[in-house]
Amino acid sequence: KALQLGADIIVCTPGRMIAHLNMGYVSLKGLQFLVLDEADRMLDMGFQDDLNKIIKHLPEKKQTLLFSATMPPKIRQLAKNILIDPIEVNIAISRPPEKIIQKAFVVFEQQKLGLVKYLLKTSTYKSALIFCGRKQHVKQLTRTLRQSGFAIEEMHSDLEQSQRESVVSAFTSGRLPIMVATDILSRGIDIDTIDLVINYDVPRDGEDYVHRIGRTARAEADGMAFTMVGEREQNSFAAIESLIGKEVEKAEIPAEFGPAPPYKPRQRTGSGGGTGKPKRKFYNRR
């Protein structure tokens, strides 16, 4: 009814707006402002086509604001496609809370799975969130850990909205102790009971590391963040250390897993720390 009768502001998900547009009773001719919040996460969740469809229904003359915590190539391309002569505003990112216990395990790739199982069995936690860089890794890791007896579910863009809501509900209520996810959950989820975050893959963007481990130690609680650093990921992790302005403690892996590679990235953390890439907001003049 609001869409039919008129409203000053509409807040929506792309998919739901597409459904209303398809029913034919929504007119966006009078729209003056379009705001795309968490643009990078929307693209990770597979909303690129939906966004394009919505934009086709909008008047050419409007002001568009695009908010994104990271600026991978696909976000830059989106900004190029939908913005006209944009102004770019950069805001320095936040640092991880000091109360988060951060540890990195420098490992060979084949040691990661066994070490994750070991950490889940030996750590004390109410809720554990494991991040993977690719949804295929999420699916494989979830399947393997489930076969090992862990109560676990997965979260990625291939799930239907109803499935996502069901998994998040179970995780939030405590009925589900472990969840494996892509960076779709590195922001936008505020659960006070998450006290363990494991990065199965080093995130490609340092800002995603900050957001990932920021899921723990909320509401003045304590939290732990463990990161598996494979041989090919050492340079990326060194860049993260530069971003957060500190070297993360390198923990020894148990002897049962065999020898681990030395930590010798080409990029080392500077003494003064790094400011890293800032959060960005784009908006255009028209």
Side-chain angles (χ1 to χ4, degrees):
K1 287 183 179 179
L3 288 169
Q4 288 176 313
L5 299 175
D8 293 324
I9 301 172
I10 296 293
V11 183
C12 64
T13 59
R16 184 61 67 188
M17 178 54 74
I18 287 289
H20 287 293
L21 288 170
N22 288 340
M23 293 179 187
Y25 51 75
V26 180
S27 174
L28 299 176
K29 293 180 180 179
L31 183 133
Q32 296 172 292
F33 305 98
L34 170 66
V35 180
L36 300 179
D37 192 21
E38 300 284 8
D40 49 351
R41 292 286 77 87
M42 283 200 287
L43 294 195
D44 284 345
M45 294 171 68
F47 286 134
Q48 174 75 67
D49 291 341
D50 285 350
L51 290 175
N52 291 337
K53 289 178 183 177
I54 292 172
I55 290 171
K56 288 180 181 178
H57 286 81
L58 306 181
E60 182 178 352
K61 187 176 181 179
K62 61 185 178 299
Q63 184 180 43
T64 302
L65 296 93
L66 185 151
F67 294 83
S68 183
T70 60
M71 288 300 295
K74 58 185 177 181
I75 292 297
R76 292 193 176 277
Q77 187 60 46
L78 176 64
K80 181 179 178 181
N81 291 343
I82 69 173
L83 302 181
I84 302 171
D85 190 21
I87 296 171
E88 181 176 349
V89 179
N90 300 326
I91 303 171
I93 69 164
S94 59
R95 302 291 177 86
E98 290 296 328
K99 58 188 175 181
I100 299 177
I101 299 174
Q102 301 179 59
K103 292 184 180 182
F105 294 87
V106 182
V107 296
F108 292 109
E109 196 67 30
Q110 62 270 23
Q111 294 173 318
K112 285 187 175 183
L113 178 58
L115 185 56
V116 167
K117 292 180 181 179
Y118 173 84
L119 292 173
L120 290 175
K121 289 179 180 179
T122 59
S123 302
T124 301
Y125 58 89
K126 295 179 181 178
S127 296
L129 185 53
I130 305 174
F131 284 107
C132 295
R134 300 175 182 272
K135 56 188 174 185
Q136 280 305 117
H137 290 178
V138 170
K139 295 176 183 179
Q140 293 167 1
L141 183 60
T142 302
R143 183 167 56 249
T144 302
L145 291 178
R146 189 178 289 137
Q147 291 171 349
S148 298
F150 292 98
I152 192 167
E153 290 293 343
E154 61 194 60
M155 175 67 68
H156 48 76
S157 61
D158 283 352
L159 299 181
E160 297 293 335
Q161 184 65 29
S162 59
Q163 294 175 297
R164 297 176 191 169
E165 291 174 356
S166 177
V167 172
V168 170
S169 175
F171 190 59
T172 303
S173 66
R175 291 180 284 114
L176 176 67
I178 308 170
M179 182 156 58
V180 185
T182 60
D183 282 310
I184 195 173
L185 275 192
S186 64
R187 273 166 271 154
I189 182 171
D190 190 3
I191 302 175
D192 295 342
T193 57
I194 298 176
D195 40 18
L196 174 61
V197 169
I198 298 177
N199 292 313
Y200 188 80
D201 300 314
V202 174
R204 288 169 291 181
D205 194 298
E207 295 165 10
D208 282 330
Y209 176 84
V210 176
H211 288 292
R212 282 184 182 188
I213 71 172
R215 297 309 95 197
T216 187
R218 304 179 77 83
E220 302 304 319
D222 296 324
M224 299 178 293
F226 300 146
T227 301
M228 312 288 162
V229 183
E231 284 185 288
R232 297 181 179 180
E233 299 173 307
Q234 291 192 13
N235 292 334
S236 296
F237 194 71
I240 289 172
E241 291 180 309
S242 179
L243 175 72
I244 64 177
K246 64 180 291 185
E247 289 192 18
V248 176
E249 176 188 346
K250 309 303 182 296
E252 291 188 14
I253 66 172
E256 64 193 78
F257 294 104
Y263 185 60
K264 293 183 177 180
R266 289 193 300 270
Q267 178 177 354
R268 301 294 298 186
T269 304
S271 59
T275 57
K277 292 185 292 184
K279 182 174 176 108
R280 292 169 172 87
K281 175 180 74 173
F282 282 99
Y283 63 95
N284 62 4
R285 296 182 176 93
R286 291 183 57 179

